[in-house]
Amino acid sequence: MTDTAAIATLIEPTVKELGFELVRVAMIGGTSDPTLQVMAERPDTRQLVLADCEALSRAIDPILEEADPIEHAYRLEVSSPGIDRPLTRRADYADWAGHEARVKLAEPQDGAKQISGDIVGIDGDTVTIATPKGERAVQFTNIASAKLLLTDKLINATAPLSSDGADLIKTEG
């Protein structure tokens, strides 16, 4: 099994040198198409453009080649987290408070394996989600995975962040 936390630690200084924040490092694709997925973002736009992905890929590829942290052949994928982004860091729960998310739990809590609702925020290690049945407190360490859900509110909140790219696309067509 690949230690993605160790890979994140290995490449994070280079990610930061380029002015980006590391969002997630994950192995995806299974044994048929093993892919090391590196998600990063610009702190100001919360996204990456294609040129950013290219620059980051070129910068971390030699580091990965030298350290050789993955025993088998794999593909490197560098991407932006996208609008319905994964929530991987404690700060994500503060940054995206008020937006709807789906949280999958590592261990069931009150009979639930998953919680969906609006993110209230995070206090220390406790993430609070407002569900139709009331607020639910979840320990950050019990979150197996989480992501924002695509809603009109999220689209409206992120539109100003990506308007430069949208203008570029409009003028090129």
Side-chain angles (χ1 to χ4, degrees), residues 31-68:
T31 56
S32 63
D33 186 25
T35 302
L36 178 65
Q37 181 187 64
V38 176
M39 274 189 196
E41 67 184 6
R42 286 184 168 278
D44 57 343
T45 64
R46 307 300 301 261
Q47 299 293 329
L48 292 181
V49 297
L50 184 58
D52 296 335
C53 293
E54 291 170 348
L56 185 53
S57 180
R58 285 189 186 107
I60 64 174
D61 188 53
I63 296 166
L64 293 169
E65 285 293 320
E66 183 178 324
D68 198 20

Side-chain angles (χ1 to χ4, degrees), residues 103-153:
V103 178
K104 293 182 181 178
L105 304 173
E107 294 293 326
Q109 182 177 318
D110 301 323
K113 295 179 182 179
Q114 177 175 292
I115 299 170
S116 294
D118 289 340
I119 301 168
V120 175
I122 186 167
D123 184 10
D125 277 345
T126 304
V127 175
T128 304
I129 307 290
T131 73
K133 295 181 180 180
E135 287 190 358
R136 302 280 303 268
V138 178
Q139 290 303 302
F140 181 79
T141 55
N142 194 32
I143 297 174
S145 66
K147 65 178 269 174
L148 290 176
L149 298 178
L150 189 59
T151 63
D152 288 341
K153 182 178 181 181

